[in-house]
Amino acid sequence: MRMLGGLTLAAVLMAGSSASAEEYRLGVMDKLRIRVAEWQTAEGAIRDWSAVSGDYRIGADGSLSLPFIGQLPADGRTTADLSADIGKKMQVLFGLKDLPSASVEIAEYRPVYLSGDVQTPGAYPYAPGLTVLKAISFGGGLRRADPGQRFARDFLRSEGEAAVYVAERNRLLIRRARIVAEMSGATEIEMPKELSKSEEAKAIMESEKALMASREKRQRLQLTALADLKSLLENEIDSLAKKSETQTRQLELVQGDLSKVDTLAEKGLAISSRRLALEQRTADLQAALLDIDTASLKAKQDINKASQDETNLTNDRDAELAQELQNTEQELDTLALKLGTSRDLMSEALMQSADAATLKGGLSAANIGYSIVRTVGDKTEQIRATETTPVLPGDIVKVEASLATQ
């Protein structure tokens, strides 16, 4: 194998470990899913900025183009940086009292590229947890010119597919654990026993914990807003009741005066204008009482609606979780079938090809060389890699094979 200059293997592994611990930096061709909402303190309601929300891709110039906001620099920044920028710019642009909350998540990473002795070089979608071996499996495994190596290629392809299926299954198992925790009202997600020793699973678990916390916060804010609305309406009803009592006492006094005036009028001692004024005052007070009763009834109806909204919000969330759990279970069943098929194909390749049976020994590190070309900012470097080296979005994975004569 042709040795590559640069870092030693130990230094490369240390660098890879350090990079994986850092927050992900965005790059050209990353696709982002942006959601913007604003909590309006005065109205006690949440405003959804759907005109700004949507999926956007970082352009070739490294910027993100959003409606109203325009161009935002994105290359080399984090999703948290963009979230803060979007919220601040919208607050200034629209003169908002409350700072909008922008959620920025990666909908699709920029691709990775396979080059060299792989079956199908080219660009392939990136997925978290991608390693050199998994990336090569996307390209159909190592390239073999000799038709007699077909079973070896089948073995590699099936092995790579199985690794991808296992990674996807692990992700779904943790998602299921998160859904179960949400449905039961638990504050922590229980790690599936079969994944307790997996480092990749721990990273996925942190992501699911963040998602659960975000969903719980959103639910809590919506329920709090409805509870505050009900409290305001109840205070309004109390105020209307007190006002009704005051108006009723005034009406009783006016009616008493009117009764006295009627008695005097019968005796010819009262002035008709005085009687007309009292009758007008009586009519005004009765109309005011009717308005108060109408406003009180309207407030009670609004309270009932807010209570129904609370119930619907909880029921909708329960239904959403149940549907999500059902879909996850179906995906797990499908992956189990695919994983079983891949393992059966690997077994068949081993039985039908002696070369495939000795594949691990015949194509050892002395015959296959892996390297990664990675660009960070304006600097491009080529580092030596192994099958388990993590691959980042935008990386070029180079494979150089030097097969021994069979």
Side-chain angles (χ1 to χ4, degrees):
M1 175 183 69
R2 181 167 63 85
M3 300 299 290
L4 300 172
L7 300 173
T8 64
L9 178 59
V12 171
L13 293 177
M14 290 177 64
S17 175
S18 174
S20 63
E22 297 175 358
E23 192 168 4
Y24 177 71
R25 298 285 171 176
L26 300 170
V28 175
M29 293 185 68
D30 278 339
K31 188 175 183 180
L32 304 179
R33 180 165 293 122
I34 298 176
R35 298 290 182 270
V36 182
E38 174 197 357
W39 169 250
Q40 297 176 314
T41 305
E43 291 78 6
I46 297 175
R47 180 181 183 180
D48 183 17
W49 286 86
S50 57
V52 180
S53 301
D55 291 356
Y56 304 91
R57 194 178 294 276
I58 299 176
D61 60 351
S63 65
L64 192 67
S65 179
L66 297 176
F68 303 112
I69 297 175
Q71 300 286 351
L72 280 179
D75 190 20
R77 307 182 70 194
T78 66
T79 55
D81 294 337
L82 282 181
S83 298
D85 257 10
I86 293 171
K88 291 176 182 177
K89 286 185 178 295
M90 288 189 62
Q91 187 179 33
V92 172
L93 179 63
F94 294 104
L96 303 176
K97 180 179 180 182
D98 299 298
L99 180 67
S101 174
S103 168
V104 180
E105 61 182 12
I106 298 174
E108 180 181 319
Y109 293 91
R110 56 189 183 274
V112 296
Y113 304 89
L114 300 183
S115 173
D117 294 313
V118 291
Q119 190 66 27
T120 311
Y124 293 89
Y126 175 83
L130 189 67
T131 62
V132 168
L133 179 60
K134 293 177 184 178
I136 293 173
S137 72
F138 292 161
L142 297 176
R143 182 169 59 206
R144 302 283 185 169
D146 185 356
Q149 299 296 327
R150 180 175 63 85
F151 293 114
R153 290 198 302 271
D154 291 344
F155 182 90
L156 277 176
R157 185 182 298 110
S158 298
E159 184 182 39
E161 289 175 351
V164 173
Y165 293 151
V166 168
E168 179 67 12
R169 181 199 62 184
N170 293 348
R171 185 180 65 82
L172 289 173
L173 286 173
I174 296 176
R175 180 199 292 177
R176 182 175 66 182
R178 186 259 301 166
I179 296 172
V180 170
E182 286 189 272
M183 294 180 72
S184 63
T187 57
E188 294 293 333
I189 305 174
E190 184 177 353
M191 175 69 80
K193 294 181 180 179
E194 59 267 45
L195 304 180
S196 58
K197 298 181 180 180
S198 171
E199 292 299 324
E200 291 183 3
K202 293 179 181 178
I204 300 173
M205 175 63 77
E206 291 303 318
S207 175
E208 291 293 333
K209 285 181 178 179
L211 175 60
M212 185 172 78
S214 175
R215 288 158 63 108
E216 191 277 332
K217 180 181 178 181
R218 182 180 64 182
Q219 179 87 353
R220 186 174 65 252
L221 285 174
Q222 292 175 328
L223 289 174
T224 300
L226 290 172
D228 291 344
L229 176 60
K230 290 171 62 177
S231 178
L232 289 173
L233 290 171
E234 288 169 354
N235 291 337
E236 181 181 352
I237 291 173
D238 291 340
S239 298
L240 289 172
K242 293 176 182 179
K243 188 175 181 180
S244 178
E245 291 177 3
T246 301
Q247 296 280 37
T248 299
R249 285 196 297 269
Q250 291 181 359
L251 178 61
E252 290 173 351
L253 292 174
V254 171
Q255 287 176 336
D257 289 344
L258 181 60
S259 177
K260 294 177 181 177
V261 168
D262 287 340
T263 302
L264 293 174
E266 291 176 356
K267 299 178 181 180
L269 300 177
I271 302 173
S272 61
S273 59
R274 170 65 175 165
R275 185 173 182 279
L276 289 174
L278 288 173
E279 288 178 345
Q280 182 62 45
R281 178 61 176 162
T282 300
D284 291 342
L285 288 172
Q286 289 174 338
L289 282 172
L290 182 60
D291 291 341
I292 292 173
D293 291 341
T294 302
S296 179
L297 179 60
K298 176 63 168 58
K300 290 177 182 178
Q301 290 175 339
D302 289 342
I303 288 179
N304 291 334
K305 184 179 183 301
S307 299
Q308 185 61 46
D309 289 343
E310 285 180 332
T311 302
N312 292 340
L313 188 62
T314 302
N315 291 341
D316 290 346
R317 182 169 184 266
D318 292 342
E320 179 184 353
L321 287 173
Q323 184 62 53
E324 191 175 358
L325 180 60
Q326 182 180 358
N327 294 340
T328 301
E329 294 286 4
Q330 291 176 350
E331 291 182 48
L332 280 170
D333 292 341
T334 302
L335 273 178
L337 293 174
K338 291 182 178 179
L339 187 57
T341 301
S342 294
R343 288 172 175 166
D344 289 343
L345 290 173
M346 290 167 61
S347 299
E348 182 180 357
L350 285 172
M351 289 187 293
Q352 296 189 29
S353 172
D355 179 70
T358 58
L359 184 61
K360 291 295 182 182
L363 301 179
S364 62
N367 303 97
I368 303 296
Y370 305 106
S371 62
I372 294 176
V373 178
R374 180 172 297 161
T375 300
V376 180
D378 297 330
K379 182 181 178 182
T380 299
E381 61 177 345
Q382 182 167 319
I383 58 177
R384 191 169 59 184
T386 66
E387 291 181 344
T388 57
T389 300
V391 177
L392 301 181
D395 280 355
I396 301 174
V397 180
K398 298 178 67 175
V399 182
E400 296 178 346
S402 176
L403 300 179
T405 302
Q406 298 296 324

